[in-house]
Amino acid sequence: MEKDKAIKIGLILVIVAGILIWGINFFKGRNLFTNENVYYTTYSQVEGLQVNSAVLLRGHKIGHVKDIYFTSSKYDQLTVELSIFSDIELPKASIAKIFSSDILGSKAIDIIIPQNFNREDGYVQNYDT
């Protein structure tokens, strides 16, 4: 009888812990069930860009800003870590432009793909800058 109670309590705790982990990641804007690639871009100024800001391609959200940190000890360059859905292929000549995404001044990153893109030039690989 007590063994059955202990098993039920243990099972409930495991389920609650799983829901808690999923919920925390959901509110952080992360999805545990999708594969994402990580790309890096550098800026001299991020103009108020924040972690979890949207990354857009032609107005469609394809990812989010994962981290922002200084690249050098002189604090003159910032590296922005982008997390983008793995099914999106970005050409090597793509440009990541920071822009105001709404009337309140929130910032986002717009990926601009050049119109004269040649598939032979290749695509950005996971963890590329």
Side-chain angles (χ1 to χ4, degrees):
M1 200 66 157
E2 287 184 26
K3 195 175 189 182
D4 290 339
K5 253 187 184 177
I7 291 173
K8 288 179 184 177
I9 290 173
L11 186 61
I12 289 172
L13 287 175
V14 168
I15 291 171
V16 168
I19 291 172
L20 181 67
I21 290 170
W22 176 83
I24 289 171
N25 285 308
F26 176 79
F27 285 116
K28 286 183 177 180
R30 300 179 191 151
N31 189 347
L32 297 176
F33 303 111
T34 61
N35 292 331
E36 297 178 334
N37 290 333
V38 176
Y39 303 111
Y40 300 95
T41 182
T42 57
Y43 299 99
S44 59
Q45 184 178 23
V46 292
E47 303 172 4
L49 186 71
Q50 296 179 357
V51 174
N52 287 329
S53 293
V55 177
L56 306 172
L57 177 63
R58 296 188 178 145
H60 179 69
K61 184 175 178 180
I62 60 168
H64 65 277
V65 174
K66 192 171 183 180
D67 197 10
I68 301 172
Y69 52 88
F70 286 103
T71 305
S72 67
S73 60
K74 294 181 182 180
Y75 306 111
D76 58 347
Q77 289 288 322
L78 289 152
T79 297
V80 177
E81 188 175 336
L82 307 175
S83 180
I84 296 178
F85 302 137
S86 62
D87 58 340
I88 304 292
E89 292 182 332
L90 299 176
K92 286 187 177 181
S94 298
I95 298 170
K97 178 183 171 189
I98 298 174
F99 73 102
S100 291
S101 62
D102 59 21
I103 196 166
L104 299 175
S106 298
K107 302 293 182 179
I109 293 182
D110 188 25
I111 304 293
I112 301 169
I113 296 176
Q115 292 186 6
N116 57 354
F117 168 64
N118 185 0
R119 294 190 187 276
E120 294 174 2
D121 293 341
Y123 294 96
V124 180
Q125 300 298 316
N126 198 13
Y127 299 107
D128 277 353
T129 301

